[in-house]
């Protein structure tokens, strides 16, 4: 069952009812000012850091679902309604929400009044612009009142939700004309404030929540709105808000347009005040003046759309499969950009106060957006590497505002160092820019111990190479990609965090998965060494990789007979083996070892993938492990803490489904690669939205596995490495347009009935127009013709002097 439809021409998902199974959200902003916005106008806004500079409040885990947003109320006689249906939940005659690329639109119609809202964050300003157009579609004149409402957060969202003894006394505001200023803590150490304004004179305002809502009321029945009259309250402590009232008369057929701007302003410390305790509003007034007419809003909206046109023209596909076209050309790339901006910090499942920018997560996200914004990818790599320790290990996260690493969600994860190689290699393969390797980059943000980025990569590889266990496999440390495989932690008390409790290191617990990563990224590191002319180092790295490959394929170490072992626990016991009672096979080493090419020649690769299909596959995707753990294992940790079928305990973790699909392309099975791709692909799961429940235009982190009560139900949408990996999978492996250090390679692996297709790819300043004649073949390039001339192999020779290159690929 569907709750809306795709409008590909406008790059929008059109939601036809406010009663979606879960809030279906969108993200606004792409630089420093961000908002989350749901299909009922829920959500919140922050500047740079969702924890430290939160502008508006949100209430997680509340009822009715999705509480607090930026709301407009319309009072028409005794009827009060909202264009996005919430929070009054008054039935609408018509409703529509269009989530687009960096903007959302709402249409609400009630009793002959139509309200259209367009909301977006302009490309170059720290504000959110919402244009509300009200139209009288009835045959009689209408006098209505419009109210706006936002609730301020007192900046630090964590403190805001806990420290009431202080916070109920600190709130301060100012009002000037139609502009309401939130200036809590500005008197003391802050030099920033927020403003919410409208480009028209107002009848009244409120800035104290209790006056607007009334005691024991909530946003669904605000007393002042029901009374039709805001009270001009001035907040003093408690909960400051911003609410405007506009009284409007509309003739039949008449429309009126209002532009609301929510902005963030920073003043120089020496220029904070206009007069004693009156804030300097000049920059705010300048900002508001930039969006005070419809024409200015139209121009800013056009600029936003132009920016996305350019970005989304870098990789486009034209195939006979609409769903593939839609995901590749629009939604998958859009989600990659959102994960770049948010990492795992702010979604409807990540509170914005828990996790910041993950080391491993950000490196992987980069694989999905590096082609779109290579300069920012470069910056990101340097930021991430700057938090690395001198021995090659890493903090697991950093806060975007400070860019300093912290151990709040643990450290010592055995896989982290290698992801830095993955991200850097992707950047160089995309751009050809090797100067990044010579950049001086600090360790642990200490400039006095800076070394080149190349040295950082060397230490990444070196750390894993020199930290091996009894089977010569890499030590797992706190955990590896699977945060829940806590083999050294041994937690027995409720409430202990698996991510930080107990030792994060041990000399015995090993990870086969990191072994697979070591092969994949060791090879990429060796190629980078070659590029730098370091042939001896490259040879040494390749020797280590060859040794690791043998270990992985050895039945006394990495190989279990029909699939790869997952790990060895701190007692030396196998994890993910037929010898185990539960958790006999895990997805990660099968996907990653095979995508790294391990076992391709020996047949073990195919065996491992056949086992995945036989043991882990479901109609909704490939599960992370089987059989699920039914009892808690202190030697395994969090993985066995979840009820069977959820999250890392036998859920369908969407992130590593593409690893399996890529692995299938490595052994040439296009039918199966695409079958795996389809199962978690939003454009396909849209049809079962009532089961899947999360947004049908983007990926979620996890779908409940076969053991779960709600098999097929998605959770944790938006902020997941799934976005990057599925884009890598479909664009680089299935459609097969892969950036190498030497140039673009075209080597598709598609289902036998996929048909011919074409890809346009802008790469290192050249536009490649690639057409593929598939000939019913799943993999294999018979002919590569570049501008009319036949070329050997699959790599198009890079020629910077050309603007466009025509490429014909004949499979066979
Ligand atoms: C989750 C993991 C996540 C980790 C982050 C765990 O509770 O199951 O998916 O990576 O927390 O710290
Ligand atoms: C989510 C985390 O963000 C990611 O880093 C981790 O790899 C997966 N969960 C699996 O545990």
């Amino acid at each position: 069952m569907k709750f809306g439809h795709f409008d590909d021409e406008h790059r929008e998902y059109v939601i036809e009812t406010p009663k979606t199974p879960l809030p279906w959200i969108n993200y606004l902003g792409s630089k420093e000012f961000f908002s989350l916005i749901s299909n009922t106008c829920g959500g919140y806004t922050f500047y740079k850091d969702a924890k430290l500079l939160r502008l508006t409040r949100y209430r997680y885990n509340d009822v009715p679902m999705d509480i607090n947003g930026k709301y407009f109320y319309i009072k028409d006689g005794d009827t009060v309604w909202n264009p996005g249906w919430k929070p009054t939940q008054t039935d609408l005659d018509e409703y529509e929400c269009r989530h687009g690329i960096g903007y959302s639109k709402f249409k609400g119609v009630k009793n002959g009044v139509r309200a259209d809202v367009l909301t977006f964050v302009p490309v170059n300003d720290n504000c959110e612009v919402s244009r509300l157009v009200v139209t009288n579609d009835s045959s009689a004149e209408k006098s209505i009142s419009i109210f706006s409402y936002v609730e301020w957060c007192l900046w630090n969202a964590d403190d805001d939700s806990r420290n009431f003894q202080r916070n109920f006394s600190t709130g301060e505001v100012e009002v000037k004309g139609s502009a309401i200023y939130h200036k809590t803590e500005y008197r003391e150490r802050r030099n920033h404030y927020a403003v919410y304004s409208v480009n028209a004179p107002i009848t009244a305002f409120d800035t104290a929540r209790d006056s607007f809502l009334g005691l024991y009321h909530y946003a669904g029945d605000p007393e002042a709105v029901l009374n039709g009259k805001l009270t001009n309250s001035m907040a003093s402590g408690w909960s400051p808000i911003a609410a405007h009232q506009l009284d409007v008369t509309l003739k039949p057929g008449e429309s009126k347009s209002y532009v609301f701007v929510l902005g963030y302003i920073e003043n120089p410390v020496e220029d904070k005040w206009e007069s004693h305790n009156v804030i300097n509003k000049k920059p705010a007034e300048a900002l508001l003046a930039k969006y005070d007419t419809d024409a200015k809003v139209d121009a800013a909206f056009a600029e936003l759309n132009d920016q996305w046109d350019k970005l989304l023209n870098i990789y486009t596909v034209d195939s006979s499969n609409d769903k593939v076209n839609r995901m590749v050309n629009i939604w998958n790339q859009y989600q990659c950009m959102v994960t770049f901006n948010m990492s795992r910090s702010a979604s409807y499942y990540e509170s914005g106060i828990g996790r910041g920018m993950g080391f491993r997560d950000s490196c992987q996200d980069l694989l999905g957006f590096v082609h779109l914004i290579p300069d920012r990818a470069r910056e990101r790599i340097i930021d991430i590497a700057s938090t690395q320790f001198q021995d090659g290990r890493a903090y697991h996260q950093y806060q975007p505002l400070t860019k300093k690493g912290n151990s709040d969600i643990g450290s010592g994860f055995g896989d982290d160092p290698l992801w830095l190689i993955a991200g850097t290699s992707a950047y160089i393969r995309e751009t050809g820019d090797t100067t990044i390797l010579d950049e001086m980059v600090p360790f642990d943000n200490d400039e006095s111990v800076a070394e080149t980025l190349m040295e950082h990569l060397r230490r990444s590889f070196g750390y894993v190479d020199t930290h091996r266990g009894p089977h010569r496999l890499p030590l797992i440390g706190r955990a590896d990609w699977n945060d829940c495989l806590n083999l050294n932690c041994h937690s027995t008390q409720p409430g202990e965090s698996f991510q930080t409790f107990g030792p994060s290191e041990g000399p015995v617990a090993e990870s086969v998965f990191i072994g697979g990563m070591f092969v994949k990224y060791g090879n990429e590191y060796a190629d980078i060494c070659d590029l730098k002319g370091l042939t001896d180092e490259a040879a040494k790295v390749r020797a280590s990789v060859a040794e690791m490959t043998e270990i992985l394929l050895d039945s006394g170490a990495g190989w279990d007979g029909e699939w790869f072992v997952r790990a060895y626990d701190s007692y030396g016991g196998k994890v993910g083996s037929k010898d185990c009672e539960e958790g006999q096979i895990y997805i990660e080493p099968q996907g990653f070892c095979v995508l790294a090419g391990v076992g391709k020649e020996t047949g073990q690769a195919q065996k491992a993938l056949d086992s995945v299909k036989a043991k882990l596959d479901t109609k909704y995707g490939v599960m992370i492990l089987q059989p699920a753990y039914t009892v808690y294992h202190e030697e395994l940790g969090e993985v066995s803490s979840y009820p069977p079928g959820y999250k890392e305990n036998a859920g369908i973790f969407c992130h590593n489904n593409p690893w399996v699909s890529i692995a299938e392309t490595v052994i040439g099975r296009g039918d199966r690669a695409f079958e795996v791709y389809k199962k978690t692909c939003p454009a396909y799961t849209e049809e079962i939205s009532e089961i899947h429940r999360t947004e049908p235009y983007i990926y979620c982190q996890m779908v409940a596995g076969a053991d779960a009560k709600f098999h097929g139900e998605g959770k944790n949408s938006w902020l997941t490495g799934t976005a990057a990996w599925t884009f890598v999978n479909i664009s680089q492996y299935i459609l097969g347009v892969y950036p190498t250090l030497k140039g673009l390679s075209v080597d598709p692996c598609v289902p036998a009935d996929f048909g011919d297709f074409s890809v346009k790819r802008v790469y290192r300043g050249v536009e490649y127009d690639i057409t593929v004649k598939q000939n019913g073949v799943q993999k294999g390039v018979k002919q590569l013709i570049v501008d009319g001339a036949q070329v050997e192999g699959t790599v198009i020779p890079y020629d910077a002097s050309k603007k466009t290159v025509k490429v014909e690929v004949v499979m066979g």
Side-chain angles (χ1 to χ4, degrees):
M1 180 181 162
K2 301 203 289 184
F3 297 82
H5 62 272
F6 286 96
D7 176 345
D8 293 338
E9 196 193 322
H10 295 101
R11 299 191 298 229
E12 291 170 342
Y13 192 79
V14 187
I15 302 169
E16 294 158 6
T17 165
K19 295 178 199 168
T20 47
L22 287 167
W24 285 359
I25 75 161
N26 194 11
Y27 284 84
L28 316 177
S30 59
K31 279 197 181 141
E32 300 188 321
F33 189 99
F34 297 101
S35 293
L36 285 65
I37 184 164
S38 74
N39 59 311
T40 57
C41 295
Y44 63 90
T45 293
F46 62 93
Y47 176 69
K48 277 192 185 171
D49 190 314
K51 175 176 173 180
L52 299 176
L53 288 173
R54 183 86 64 105
L55 269 74
T56 63
R57 268 191 193 144
Y58 187 77
R59 292 186 178 78
Y60 285 90
N61 206 9
D62 209 341
V63 282
M65 196 145 70
D66 193 16
I67 286 286
N68 246 13
K70 277 158 244 146
Y71 298 124
F72 296 115
Y73 299 82
I74 291 171
K75 185 167 189 306
D76 177 7
D78 287 337
T79 308
V80 177
W81 58 280
N82 309 98
W85 182 64
K86 268 176 73 75
T88 61
Q89 298 185 200
T90 303
D91 283 336
L92 299 175
D93 300 335
E94 279 179 52
Y95 159 93
E96 187 180 85
C97 163
R98 291 177 170 259
H99 282 321
I101 306 299
Y103 67 87
S104 292
K105 287 178 170 175
F106 300 84
K107 179 179 85 177
V109 178
K110 183 79 186 170
N111 298 341
V113 176
R114 172 183 166 136
D116 288 284
V117 180
L118 162 68
T119 177
F120 65 100
V121 170
V123 177
N124 285 317
D125 278 314
N126 293 324
C127 66
E128 179 185 305
V129 174
S130 297
R131 174 166 53 198
L132 167 69
V133 180
V134 281
T135 306
N136 180 2
D137 280 339
S138 76
S139 50
E141 187 171 278
K142 285 260 184 193
S143 287
I144 59 171
S145 296
I146 297 169
F147 302 89
S148 71
Y149 174 61
V150 304
E151 182 178 2
W152 302 113
C153 177
L154 307 186
W155 303 115
N156 181 328
D158 189 12
D159 189 75
D160 183 67
S161 64
R162 287 186 291 112
N163 194 5
F164 307 114
Q165 62 79 25
R166 170 181 162 84
N167 295 341
F168 284 169
S169 294
T170 57
E172 288 190 284
V173 295
E174 280 183 36
V175 179
K176 185 179 172 192
S178 300
I180 297 171
Y181 293 88
H182 176 226
K183 59 168 191 175
T184 300
E185 290 188 347
Y186 189 82
R187 286 185 331 98
E188 29 126 347
R189 292 152 297 172
R190 294 190 187 273
N191 64 331
H192 54 85
Y193 60 78
V195 59
Y196 191 42
S197 192
V198 55
N199 68 341
I202 53 176
T203 318
F205 64 86
D206 265 315
T207 68
R209 194 181 68 191
D210 288 348
S211 309
F212 178 77
L213 296 183
L215 285 175
Y216 301 99
H217 282 241
Y218 81 118
D221 62 354
E223 232 171 32
V225 172
L226 298 181
N227 293 338
K229 189 84 195 90
L230 298 194
T231 69
N232 292 347
S233 59
M234 289 302 288
S236 178
W238 298 109
S239 289
I241 59 153
H244 303 97
Q245 177 172 356
L246 295 152
D247 292 334
V248 185
T249 302
L250 296 168
K251 294 193 191 67
E254 189 183 359
S255 282
K256 283 191 178 154
S257 165
Y258 300 94
V259 182
F260 291 81
V261 174
L262 172 70
Y264 170 89
I265 301 290
E266 261 173 28
N267 274 332
V269 178
E270 62 290 356
D271 205 10
K272 279 175 65 167
W273 305 105
E274 178 186 309
S275 57
H276 184 64
N277 278 349
V278 178
I279 57 177
N280 169 5
K281 304 185 184 63
K282 275 197 214 100
E285 285 163 356
L287 175 72
L288 298 175
K290 288 175 82 172
Y291 301 100
D292 60 359
T293 66
D294 277 324
K296 290 180 194 174
V297 172
D298 288 340
F301 188 52
E303 188 185 7
L304 176 72
N305 288 321
D306 284 352
Q307 175 189 272
W308 277 106
D309 281 346
K310 284 199 193 90
L311 291 174
L312 294 177
N313 270 332
I314 295 170
Y315 191 122
T316 56
V317 63
D318 185 8
S319 77
S320 57
N321 185 317
D322 285 350
K323 294 188 168 65
V324 167
N325 298 347
R326 166 181 303 152
M327 290 314 299
V328 171
N329 298 341
I330 308 169
W331 294 99
N332 200 171
Q333 297 200 62
Y334 181 48
Q335 190 178 358
C336 287
M337 284 291 272
V338 171
T339 60
F340 157 69
N341 287 322
M342 298 291 134
S343 190
R344 303 296 169 272
S345 69
S347 76
Y348 268 32
Y349 309 88
E350 303 280 7
S351 64
I353 59 179
R355 303 207 279 160
M357 313 292 292
F359 188 99
R360 100 155 63 89
D361 292 330
S362 298
C363 288
Q364 288 172 88
D365 292 344
L366 207 134
L367 309 177
F369 71 78
V370 63
H371 64 295
L372 296 172
I373 41 169
D375 294 347
R376 299 189 74 191
R378 192 182 203 277
E379 244 176 73
R380 178 62 60 82
I381 291 169
I382 306 287
D383 285 351
I384 298 170
S386 305
T387 67
Q388 192 179 23
F389 293 111
Q390 289 194 56
D391 65 1
R393 284 176 312 125
Y395 286 111
H396 208 39
Q397 74 161 11
Y398 66 97
Q399 281 305 127
L401 198 63
T402 61
K403 295 196 176 172
K404 292 220 165 82
N406 65 59
S407 300
D408 295 356
I409 55 156
S411 64
F413 292 80
D415 61 320
D416 271 336
L418 292 171
W419 292 116
L420 185 63
I421 299 178
T424 309
S425 156
Y427 171 78
I428 301 174
R429 286 186 287 107
E430 177 67 31
T431 59
D433 168 23
T434 54
T435 66
I436 191 173
L437 298 167
D438 305 324
E439 289 282 340
M440 293 299 282
V441 181
F443 285 103
D444 198 3
N445 293 97
D446 179 354
E447 290 288 350
S448 71
V449 288
E451 294 281 353
T452 61
L453 181 65
M454 185 68 193
E455 182 58 29
H456 279 258
L457 302 189
R458 183 170 294 125
R459 293 192 194 180
S460 284
F461 181 79
Y463 184 84
V464 180
D465 199 15
T466 53
H467 288 73
R468 314 258 204 117
H471 301 87
R472 302 273 305 132
L473 286 159
L475 290 174
I476 196 166
R478 165 67 55 191
D480 58 22
W481 172 89
N482 188 333
D483 276 331
C484 299
L485 213 49
N486 317 112
L487 305 183
N488 291 307
C489 158
H490 298 280
S491 169
T492 55
Q493 296 306 309
E496 287 166 353
S497 157
F498 291 104
Q499 311 296 318
T500 54
F501 174 78
S504 69
E505 287 178 26
V508 176
E510 300 167 296
S511 162
V512 174
F513 166 76
I514 302 178
M517 280 187 79
F518 187 83
V519 173
K520 168 85 176 145
Y521 298 121
N523 279 327
E524 295 195 11
Y525 177 57
D527 293 344
I528 292 175
C529 292
D530 279 339
L531 209 63
K532 294 286 286 174
L534 301 166
T535 36
D536 287 352
E537 189 178 353
K540 273 199 204 125
V541 169
R542 290 201 177 97
S544 270
V545 164
E547 185 217 356
M548 183 66 76
T549 307
E550 275 177 31
I551 296 166
L552 291 170
L553 294 172
D554 179 350
S555 43
W559 184 249
D560 198 52
E562 299 291 321
W563 58 80
F564 292 97
V565 180
R566 176 61 176 86
Y568 286 88
D569 68 26
S570 67
Y571 305 110
K574 279 184 179 179
V575 181
S577 155
K578 60 180 175 319
D579 304 340
C580 305
E581 249 173 62
E582 303 184 322
Q584 292 176 341
I585 173 170
Y586 279 65
I587 194 174
E588 304 99 310
Q590 325 311 329
F592 227 88
C593 290
V594 178
L595 77 77
V598 177
K600 205 176 147 186
E601 277 85 40
T602 60
Q604 283 155 285
Q606 183 169 331
K607 232 183 211 174
L609 294 181
D610 289 347
S611 299
V612 166
K613 182 165 179 170
K615 307 231 169 228
L616 297 177
D617 212 6
T618 76
K619 61 179 168 175
Y620 300 124
V622 184
M623 293 177 288
I624 196 168
L625 65 86
Q626 275 293 295
Y629 295 105
T630 57
V631 290
Y632 175 61
H633 294 253
E634 58 89 18
E635 80 285 9
L636 301 180
E638 190 170 1
V639 67
S640 60
S641 75
Y642 287 110
Y646 291 115
K647 293 280 288 182
E648 280 85 344
N649 186 14
I652 296 159
F653 231 86
C654 301
H655 188 139
N656 34 40
N657 274 245
W659 295 349
V660 169
S661 184
I662 294 172
E664 290 287 355
T665 69
V666 167
I667 64 165
R669 298 197 295 199
D671 282 331
R672 174 68 182 153
F674 197 68
E675 185 186 329
V676 173
Y677 171 77
K678 278 198 315 198
K679 288 187 186 198
T680 56
C681 179
Y684 283 91
T685 56
E686 186 203 12
E687 297 289 343
I688 51 156
S689 288
E690 80 286 9
I691 296 171
H692 197 264
R693 301 187 69 209
T694 56
E695 295 90 334
Y697 36 94
I698 48 97
Y699 286 92
C700 59
Q701 181 207 48
M702 195 272 302
V703 171
D707 302 276
K709 178 159 182 200
F710 302 113
H711 183 31
E713 179 183 74
K715 282 199 186 111
N716 305 353
S717 56
W718 279 102
L719 304 186
T720 159
T722 312
W725 275 105
T726 44
F727 189 67
V728 166
N729 176 31
I730 186 73
S731 64
Q732 299 182 11
Y733 289 90
I734 293 180
L735 300 173
V737 182
Y738 179 91
T740 74
L741 290 175
K742 300 200 179 77
L744 214 50
S745 152
V746 188
D747 188 7
C749 182
V750 287
D753 60 0
F754 194 69
D756 298 347
F757 63 96
S758 61
V759 169
K760 276 213 173 72
R761 175 69 157 95
V762 182
Y763 174 72
R764 301 190 190 178
V766 180
E767 189 183 306
Y768 294 88
D769 227 319
I770 304 162
T771 53
V772 178
K773 288 242 162 315
Q774 194 221 341
N775 294 327
V777 166
Q778 294 184 49
K779 184 153 183 172
V781 169
K782 195 164 76 184
Q783 263 187 328
L784 173 66
I785 301 160
V786 178
D787 279 339
Q790 186 144 341
V791 168
E792 277 304 301
T794 65
V795 179
I796 309 163
Y798 178 64
D799 181 350
S801 69
K802 291 188 175 167
K803 278 251 163 321
T804 55
V805 173
K806 211 170 151 27
V807 182
E808 293 158 77
V809 175
V810 184
M811 292 178 70

